[in-house]
Amino acid sequence: MAMRALPRPMRAALLATTAAMALSGCGVLSPLPAWELVKATGTATSTALATAAPAKASNTVHHGDAPVKTLCIEYNRNAPLEDLVPAMQAELRGQGVESRVFEPGTGLQQCGVWLRYVATIEWGVPPMASGYRANLSAASLSLHRSDGTLLASSSYQAEENFGLARWAGTRNKIAPVVKALITGFES
């Protein structure tokens, strides 16, 4: 693959890594320049991970109902990714929708619209890290009226991009799905 075909952050990380390997810690006056280059490589890699392959919503169904202004999120204990619900709530606020979180089966009289979700979580060791970390690999969100009528649904599925896309933040992955769920438009 040509270097130009790589996203800019990945090119920067690759160039910094190549330069660091060429120096191999041998500085003429001091090893500090080589150390600074290694640190810069880590920063470039972190930047590449944060911006790798923008997530996309897919399989969106939206029935064109009036815009939702408040909803309740039914907490799913089978999707224990600690930043998933906060990420959904932040993106909902960005769409002008207020939300509250309830355990399944509670709050039924308090909410006219429910967001339900399922998620697949994978574990792995990110580049430049030493321990395992959970990451969101797939998610499906759906909006329902309190009587169970489906208002909208949308999904996210991780796409491989040199293995870096899987380490993007949960909020980056879920943002287009929440937007599609509320607006009906995939981005």
Side-chain angles (χ1 to χ4, degrees), residues 30 33 135 151 167-168 170 174 177:
S30 166
N135 66 80
L151 299 173
W167 301 112
T170 301
I174 208 70
V177 181

Side-chain angles (χ1 to χ4, degrees), residues 37-107:
L37 190 55
V38 168
K39 289 190 330 188
T41 302
T43 302
T45 301
S46 296
T47 301
L49 290 175
T51 59
K56 297 177 185 173
S58 61
N59 303 318
T60 299
V61 175
H62 194 277
H63 293 288
D65 291 84
V68 174
K69 294 297 174 193
T70 61
L71 60 80
C72 295
I73 299 172
E74 185 176 86
Y75 183 72
N76 182 349
R77 291 193 179 279
N78 293 324
L81 189 60
E82 64 187 28
D83 59 345
L84 179 57
V85 172
M88 288 189 296
Q89 288 187 294
E91 290 304 318
L92 286 165
R93 274 191 304 278
Q95 295 295 320
V97 178
E98 291 302 315
S99 64
R100 294 180 292 168
V101 180
F102 287 92
E103 288 289 329
T106 63

Side-chain angles (χ1 to χ4, degrees), residues 8-167:
R8 185 177 302 234
M10 291 176 66
R11 283 193 308 242
L14 183 60
L15 289 172
T17 302
T18 303
M21 289 170 52
L23 285 178
S24 68
C26 296
V28 174
L29 300 175
S30 166
L32 290 179
W35 177 244
E36 291 302 317
L37 190 55
V38 168
K39 289 190 330 188
T41 302
T43 302
T45 301
S46 296
T47 301
L49 290 175
T51 59
K56 297 177 185 173
S58 61
N59 303 318
T60 299
V61 175
H62 194 277
H63 293 288
D65 291 84
V68 174
K69 294 297 174 193
T70 61
L71 60 80
C72 295
I73 299 172
E74 185 176 86
Y75 183 72
N76 182 349
R77 291 193 179 279
N78 293 324
L81 189 60
E82 64 187 28
D83 59 345
L84 179 57
V85 172
M88 288 189 296
Q89 288 187 294
E91 290 304 318
L92 286 165
R93 274 191 304 278
Q95 295 295 320
V97 178
E98 291 302 315
S99 64
R100 294 180 292 168
V101 180
F102 287 92
E103 288 289 329
T106 63
L108 290 173
Q109 284 70 33
Q110 299 171 349
C111 300
V113 177
W114 284 88
L115 185 153
R116 294 184 173 103
Y117 63 97
V118 294
T120 302
I121 298 166
E122 294 181 350
W123 288 85
V125 179
M128 309 286 290
S130 59
Y132 280 86
R133 191 180 97 193
N135 66 80
L136 181 67
S137 63
S140 292
L141 281 58
S142 58
L143 284 182
H144 300 265
R145 291 188 192 182
S146 57
D147 67 1
T149 305
L150 179 67
L151 299 173
S153 64
S154 190
S155 300
Y156 161 78
Q157 177 68 47
E159 293 181 20
E160 284 301 316
N161 182 18
F162 302 102
L164 294 179
R166 71 185 279 196
W167 301 112

